[in-house]
Amino acid sequence: MNLFTITFKSLRQRRLSSSLTAVSVALGIMLMVAVLVMNSVIGDAFSQRSVAVHLVIGPKGSELANVLTAVYRVGKAGEPLPYRFLRDDLLGADSKWKDSIEFAIPMTMGDVTEEGAFPIVGTVPDYFFVEYASGRQFRLKGKGLERSFDAVIGARVARENGWDVGSEFKLVHGGASGHVHDEKFTVVGVLAPTGTANDRTVFVHMEGFYQIAGHEKPAEEAIERLKKFGYTVTPAEEAAIREAVAGHDHGHEGHDHAGHDHAGHDHGHSHKVPDDLKEISFILLKAKSGVEALMMSGAINEGVRALAVNPIKPMNQLMNDVIGNIQKLLLFLTMLIVVVAGVGIFVSIYNSMSDRRREIAIMRALGAHRGTVFLIILTESLLLCIGGGVLGLLMGHGLVFVAAPFVEAESGLTISPWQFDWVELLLFPILLVLATLIGILPGLTAYRTDVAQSLSE
Amino acid sequence: MSLSIRGLRKSYVEPGGPRLPILNIEHFEIADSEQVVLIGSSGGGKTTLLNVIAGITAADSGQLLIDGTDVLKLSEPARDRFRAQRIGYVFQTFHLLPAFTALENVLLGMSFSGQGADRKHALNLLVRVGLEHRLHHRPAKLSVGEQQRVAVARALANRPSLLLADEPTANVDPANQELVLKLIREACRENNVSLLLVTHSMEVAGQFDRVERLSDFNRPEVAV
């Protein structure tokens, strides 16, 4: 009969108090596992793994605000960039960067859906053919953006709004007006869950986005803005802009958009919006190498037109300065819970010692060494802590398994039911140390038991 | 010679009080396989003597030879091992461990001897004391007589050369008294085990060839 058997039988004899003690440890570990898993999920969401681009290029201003808006769809985009910036400065024949760019995806933002207020992103069809995160491609039910008034929706949008391929919706203009645009978009594709902000985003074709009444700039304002941005606008170009705006206005006058259904045909009054009337909120850019991305961002940021930022940089800063501290606080609190549970084990074992003096004395009278009875008590502490720890680990992952769909529905964070954080492996050495510390004092009480006196009581 | 005591002294010191001599035995011996009854008044030191012989209580001075080994000169761990291997102890209140079955209580005694648990021997002992049908019952499910029989089996588990029994029949009903006593005596005889049995019962004492009154050889009042 070894130490474990002797200890196990002793614990079984006091099964109620032993179970309650182990459960108190299990609850602490369960909370800790849940926090660690959340930690891991949040860490993933804000790490390099969550984005597959080198640069987010947007308006001059806050790096963090640009990344939050472009990647996490939180907040509002700043003053947009002229389309010329993408067409000429980055991809133009004279651009020194054109050969360094793997892809540059424009995004235009500002509107939300009428139902659910999900952010609208006007983009190009290529958005769905590049990686949305490192090593991860979109999976799409239906098809991508082909026609001007096509839309692709994220998994959460589909679930919450009950939309599917064929559903139609309207956009609410950004800003304070809350104006509902007349144009209707049709869902042609639904994205599989990605665990990113794409899940709660509605993507519309950029061409359709510009064709919405009010989305193109007035001619004079557009010309002024191009000049302010440092571009040369020739008289011919100015005339072309004015003509395009006049033509579009004319088109709208003769065409009632209200309730107009664009599904099944391309926009009836479809007009090609001139590039000089287009504006871009952000450009997601992947360079052919990290070094080229770094050089490109340096050059862009030297100028006054735009701001290029590696999205990881401000997010890491946010993680370190704010979210990381909250996570550390949560971890600290759950560690405290485990320590409190440990104190519970100590009290439970220590209190039981007065009742168990006779039991210890009998073992000593049968020939057990002082060290043996010390080890029996220490093993008891270890079994309670490790048993509680294993139970807590299972309960913690059970909790994650059960809560994952609810958390995802509420927060948009995708949690795998089998999510595991390697830090969890550290729990067991920590528990071993805790159990040893807890067991020492009661163990010493057993060690010092006066056999003759205890047997006579 | 199974047990030989020379000049054994044991006293207690009450906190803040004078030293209180309990044992002062110049000479006491038990031969191989001999069965001895020890009688004496309550508080006379009988249990203390058994505890000193068992190595549970340390003596102040003297010599205590069991099979040639001076128990008093052994270190505490060595004394523990010696007790587990060579001395069986039957207590008045049995002292079975409540978490363990009858069989496990016997095996537990073997576990501490360092010689491993001999399950077959433990089963034989329990069969010998008539408990083959109660092997897997815990003490709470056993009658008082059955509990004492388990205690006897446990005391004999490590094939001791000396069995100490402290009023083994005191808490047993009359029907079982005779059975328990017979068991102890026969088991000792069969296994060549020396027996030192403490009792208050003159009826029990009357069954033994050698009866010793503690006060006849213990003179604590003359201890220095």
Side-chain angles (χ1 to χ4, degrees), chain A residues 59-294:
Chain A
K60 282 284 186 191
S62 158
E63 291 184 347
L64 181 61
N66 278 6
V67 173
L68 281 175
T69 311
V71 179
Y72 296 94
R73 318 278 145 73
V74 176
K76 286 186 176 171
E79 190 66 25
L81 308 171
Y83 190 78
R84 275 194 192 195
F85 185 81
L86 173 69
R87 189 191 66 189
D88 300 344
D89 293 25
L90 295 179
L91 303 174
D94 297 333
S95 166
K96 60 176 175 177
W97 303 115
K98 67 179 190 300
D99 294 330
S100 304
I101 295 171
E102 192 174 318
F103 64 76
I105 306 273
M107 296 165 71
T108 162
M109 302 173 72
D111 288 1
V112 295
T113 56
E114 192 180 14
E115 193 178 341
F118 290 105
I120 302 286
V121 171
T123 190
V124 293
D126 281 353
Y127 185 90
F128 304 102
F129 300 110
V130 298
E131 289 180 344
Y132 67 87
S134 183
R136 287 187 283 178
Q137 291 276 359
F138 283 112
R139 284 180 296 122
L140 184 70
K141 184 180 103 176
K143 55 181 186 173
L145 301 174
E146 292 176 357
R147 290 178 301 184
S148 299
F149 285 84
D150 282 354
V152 169
I153 57 174
R156 187 175 161 197
V157 179
R159 189 179 61 243
E160 290 197 8
N161 282 3
W163 292 353
D164 204 343
V165 173
S167 299
E168 292 181 342
F169 63 92
K170 289 182 179 177
L171 278 52
V172 177
H173 192 65
S177 72
H179 165 70
V180 180
H181 292 295
D182 292 332
E183 291 83 352
K184 275 187 180 174
F185 282 81
T186 305
V187 176
V188 296
V190 179
L191 297 173
T194 62
T196 66
N198 293 305
D199 292 350
R200 52 182 173 79
T201 303
V202 172
F203 301 91
V204 299
H205 200 297
M206 209 158 173
E207 283 302 323
F209 190 87
Y210 290 129
Q211 287 175 25
I212 293 171
H215 273 186
E216 76 280 25
K217 279 202 177 304
E220 296 311 318
E221 194 183 325
I223 294 164
E224 188 60 31
R225 176 130 178 81
L226 282 170
K227 286 179 178 171
K228 194 177 160 191
F229 219 78
Y231 291 117
T232 306
V233 185
T234 62
E237 284 171 334
E238 283 190 23
I241 291 170
R242 288 193 185 94
E243 189 183 339
V245 171
H248 188 204
D249 286 346
H250 174 75
H252 281 297
E253 282 160 17
H255 181 94
D256 181 12
H257 274 79
H260 182 73
D261 186 2
H262 294 279
H265 66 96
D266 209 347
H267 196 210
H269 62 288
S270 181
H271 53 277
K272 182 78 178 167
V273 177
D275 286 350
D276 283 339
L277 286 178
K278 293 179 186 172
E279 288 187 320
I280 297 168
S281 302
F282 298 102
I283 298 163
L284 300 181
L285 186 144
K286 186 168 185 185
K288 288 184 176 159
S289 74
V291 177
E292 285 168 297
L294 197 63

Side-chain angles (χ1 to χ4, degrees), chain A residues 40 43-52 132-136 196 312:
Chain A
S40 171
D44 281 354
F46 290 102
S47 73
Q48 186 80 52
R49 284 167 293 184
S50 66
V51 285
Y132 67 87
S134 183
R136 287 187 283 178
T196 66
I312 300 311

Side-chain angles (χ1 to χ4, degrees), chain A residues 349-376:
Chain A
I349 296 179
Y350 194 77
N351 282 346
S352 74
M353 291 312 294
S354 58
D355 298 332
R356 296 170 62 196
R357 274 220 300 272
R358 187 170 152 271
E359 186 185 317
I360 300 290
I362 293 169
M363 289 189 197
R364 293 273 290 113
L366 292 175
H369 301 316
R370 287 181 190 275
T372 305
V373 293
F374 174 83
L375 283 177
I376 287 172

Side-chain angles (χ1 to χ4, degrees), chain A residues 430-450:
Chain A
I430 291 170
L431 278 175
L432 278 177
V433 172
L434 188 68
T436 307
L437 291 174
I438 288 166
I440 283 178
L441 198 57
L444 283 175
T445 308
Y447 185 92
R448 293 194 193 112
T449 299
D450 184 323

Side-chain angles (χ1 to χ4, degrees), chain B residues 10 20-25 44 215 217-224:
Chain B
K10 172 66 187 172
L20 181 67
I22 300 294
L23 298 175
N24 179 21
I25 300 170
S215 56
F217 59 92
N218 180 32
R219 301 261 189 267
E221 67 280 2
V222 298
V224 180

